[in-house]
Amino acid sequence: MSVQSLEEKWHDLLSLMRKKCNPVEYRNWWSPVEIDPEKEVPTLLVPNVFVSEYLLHHYREELGQHFGITRKGKPAISFSVRERVCPKPKSSPPPRRSGSSVGPVPFGQEVMLNKGYTFDNFIEGPSNRFIKSACIGVASGSGCSYNPLLIHGGVGLGKTHLLHGIGHALRERPERIGFQCITTEGFINQLISHLREKSIDKMKRYFRNLDVLLVDDIQFLENRPNFEDEFCNTFETLINQNKQIVITSDKPPGQLKLSERMVARMECGLVAHIGMPDLETRVAILQHKAEQRGFTLSQKVAFYIADHLFNNVRQMEGVINRLGAQRSLMDREMTEGVIDDALGDLLRPGNRSRISIDRILTTVALAFDVSEQDLCGPKRARKILTARQIAMYLAKELLNESLSKTASAFGGKTHSTLLHAWKKISLALKNDDKLRRRVQKTRQNIEA
Ligand code: ADP
Ligand code: MG
């Protein structure tokens, strides 16, 4: 197969995809990709691994039809991650700068950004590296950005931090960028007050003239169809003009109770999950936060704390604040006992009535690296089954509910399944020290 014919195939595929995809999809997933003219086997140059995974997952058939299929039934292509910044797609006009007509300040208010939530203060690790670079891409307008960009993940994992990080970086751009960073609640409140004052057109004009819209906690639109409609109109107007939108959510779009129109719109762009940082990153975050508070945390102490807390970063920050407040402790040797004293109830069992099945599922999913859907689903792969049984064990131990009610929370399982899981894990805990420590730590995080 000659290089020329590979390039032709690629251009054929691009023309087909241009017709098949909507413009947003095409811009996100096909425009940034090129074929490597140097390679004899079809090799697609992609801006990051995520794009290759997305293409393989969503366009397998089309790729296979153009480049053939391997014996394993996969498209016969390779991917290579390109280092350089990808060019802006020719089809998309440069974003309009609203500085001259509409400033970034709405109705006399400043855009409220948390001072500390900058990219520099956001510690990077495997769980958030990709999403951080996507946010930097968006903020720099490098053309490698994705539109819309949706960041989802549990509470206290850095979604708002990254959103504000984009805001800070936009402010530093030499040209004036009209942007707004708003919580969904803030959007709704503004909508209500402008409806009341009959100045809704002014609000619409303002939002629809922005260059970049940053929206925090979109889940607050759930079950509010009227507000959702208005938001969706704004969203579509901006996207259709090629303006950047970034949204955070506590769950993936498909799990949000929003209209199909809204979900489909959000799924067109880059949907990226932010997870709990791994142990090393947690250590680095603790040390960074301590430094910001003006004290140093030794590796050993940081490891001890990071090893015990893995629910969310905000909780870790709480620990640093406490240690900071008890600075005299720093003069004493940091034994585990001293730290346990300082951490107090963060590491000790708390009020049981606060514990919910959702909290158990979120914590077990994080601790055992499976998804919450899998904990409640039918899959029986070993890793998933064990995590599910541990979640069932902890639910039986920690919730004051009937067995049937607790079991039904696991995707409608029966009380005998729950009891079986509880017996199995109880027995395993007697014989397996490592498992006992892991379950104990998970339990502490649920109770903290
Ligand atoms: P979310 O919006 O996901 O609930 P936040 O963005 O409010 O979480 O983050 C909670 C706290 O944790 C913030 O103070 C934030 O600075 C901090 N945080 C989260 N992730 C990181 C990180 N990777 N590096 C530094 N701080 C972080
Ligand atoms: Mg938040």
Side-chain angles (χ1 to χ4, degrees):
M1 205 183 279
S2 72
V3 173
Q4 180 58 30
S5 74
L6 272 183
E7 279 185 312
E8 277 170 8
K9 276 172 198 278
W10 174 241
H11 286 296
D12 280 356
L13 178 59
L14 282 185
S15 328
L16 175 74
M17 296 323 298
R18 205 173 284 123
K19 285 188 209 124
K20 251 186 159 173
C21 302
N22 72 40
V24 177
E25 276 168 342
Y26 185 81
R27 206 163 57 224
N28 278 333
W29 306 111
W30 292 97
S31 288
V33 183
E34 288 167 358
I35 195 150
D36 189 340
E38 314 273 297
K39 298 275 166 49
E40 291 196 0
V41 282
T43 304
L44 298 186
L45 299 169
V46 288
N48 54 58
V49 177
F50 193 85
V51 171
S52 55
E53 280 171 6
Y54 190 94
L55 291 179
L56 277 176
H57 191 247
H58 290 84
Y59 303 105
R60 198 186 184 97
E61 210 179 302
E62 291 84 352
L63 288 165
Q65 276 163 6
H66 278 74
F67 294 109
I69 303 276
T70 64
R71 258 185 280 152
K72 289 185 178 162
K74 294 185 179 157
I77 45 169
S78 314
F79 288 96
S80 170
V81 176
R82 189 182 37 207
E83 289 295 317
R84 70 187 169 83
V85 170
C86 58
K88 266 229 178 286
K90 287 193 187 71
S91 58
S92 51
R96 246 184 71 198
R97 303 287 163 238
S98 62
S100 51
S101 53
V102 182
V105 182
F107 318 121
Q109 290 165 29
E110 274 288 332
V111 179
M112 302 292 278
L113 296 177
N114 184 314
K115 249 188 6 227
Y117 288 2
T118 59
F119 287 143
D120 282 349
N121 281 335
F122 191 84
I123 308 294
E124 201 175 296
S127 69
N128 60 30
R129 184 164 295 128
F130 171 71
I131 183 68
K132 182 178 175 185
S133 71
C135 289
I136 293 175
V138 163
S140 64
S142 67
C144 279
S145 59
Y146 303 90
N147 208 8
L149 168 62
L150 187 134
I151 309 168
H152 70 94
V155 176
L157 295 179
K159 301 182 295 296
T160 302
H161 189 140
L162 283 173
L163 204 68
H164 287 211
I166 296 175
H168 285 296
L170 288 173
R171 272 192 184 149
E172 279 165 23
R173 295 259 300 269
E175 69 276 45
R176 192 159 133 99
I177 309 282
F179 79 96
Q180 179 53 280
C181 179
I182 192 163
T183 62
T184 305
E185 269 182 311
F187 183 84
I188 292 174
N189 290 341
Q190 283 203 16
L191 205 56
I192 293 172
S193 88
H194 283 276
L195 280 169
R196 204 181 297 129
E197 287 164 26
K198 301 199 171 41
S199 53
I200 194 72
D201 283 348
K202 195 173 160 196
M203 176 172 171
K204 282 187 187 173
R205 246 192 337 270
Y206 167 75
F207 275 97
R208 293 175 193 183
N209 275 308
L210 293 168
D211 297 314
V212 181
L213 177 60
L214 311 171
V215 183
D216 210 3
D217 290 328
I218 196 77
Q219 70 272 10
F220 286 109
L221 269 188
E222 285 183 317
N223 305 318
R224 306 173 104 161
N226 295 340
F227 299 124
E228 187 191 328
D229 262 1
E230 185 48 45
F231 181 80
C232 199
N233 291 338
T234 305
F235 183 103
E236 286 184 343
T237 310
L238 289 172
I239 283 279
N240 290 338
Q241 293 178 74
N242 229 353
K243 309 290 190 66
Q244 180 70 52
I245 298 185
V246 185
I247 295 176
T248 73
S249 164
D250 68 349
K251 35 184 133 40
Q255 284 176 30
L256 285 165
K257 292 187 199 82
L258 295 176
S259 65
E260 273 179 32
R261 170 186 170 207
M262 185 71 205
V263 171
R265 275 302 197 176
M266 292 193 289
E267 284 182 336
C268 266
L270 175 59
V271 175
H273 179 252
I274 182 163
M276 186 62 185
D278 63 0
L279 183 66
E280 277 74 24
T281 317
R282 295 206 295 279
V283 168
I285 293 175
L286 283 165
Q287 291 185 314
H288 179 77
K289 300 273 175 197
E291 213 169 279
Q292 283 183 318
R293 281 201 61 117
F295 64 95
T296 310
L297 209 57
S298 74
Q299 262 322 72
K300 188 172 160 227
V301 171
F303 262 103
Y304 180 75
I305 300 171
D307 195 34
H308 280 78
L309 295 176
F310 46 81
N311 228 352
N312 67 56
V313 180
R314 192 171 289 138
Q315 194 185 29
M316 289 163 37
E317 225 167 30
V319 170
I320 294 300
N321 288 342
R322 269 190 209 191
L323 287 175
Q326 302 178 27
R327 289 286 285 284
S328 57
L329 272 175
M330 303 298 138
D331 301 332
R332 286 158 59 191
E333 204 199 333
M334 281 272 184
T335 61
E336 289 180 4
V338 171
I339 297 161
D340 285 349
D341 277 352
L343 303 188
D345 52 337
L346 280 174
L347 296 184
R348 271 190 232 114
N351 180 357
R352 240 169 223 222
S353 62
R354 282 189 294 116
I355 296 173
S356 64
I357 183 72
D358 283 348
R359 188 167 171 84
I360 294 174
L361 291 173
T362 311
T363 312
V364 172
L366 272 169
F368 290 84
D369 192 27
V370 296
S371 71
E372 285 178 48
Q373 288 101 297
D374 279 344
L375 288 180
C376 299
K379 287 189 194 157
R380 298 188 62 81
R382 196 160 161 205
K383 178 174 164 183
I384 294 172
L385 188 61
T386 307
R388 188 184 302 136
Q389 289 178 331
I390 288 169
M392 286 181 167
Y393 166 86
L394 288 168
K396 180 177 171 328
E397 288 285 303
L398 296 172
L399 298 175
N400 295 322
E401 295 287 0
S402 70
L403 286 187
S404 320
K405 190 162 177 214
T406 306
S408 72
F410 287 84
K413 308 261 183 322
T414 62
H415 82 284
S416 56
T417 308
L418 184 99
L419 213 53
H420 170 75
W422 181 82
K423 282 186 190 150
K424 197 165 164 220
I425 298 301
S426 302
L427 188 68
L429 293 180
K430 287 194 184 121
N431 305 319
D432 184 341
D433 284 349
K434 201 167 147 209
L435 184 72
R436 190 167 53 245
R437 276 199 301 278
R438 265 185 103 183
V439 172
Q440 181 59 21
K441 258 196 275 170
T442 311
R443 185 178 177 145
Q444 281 173 344
N445 271 272
I446 293 168
E447 291 177 320

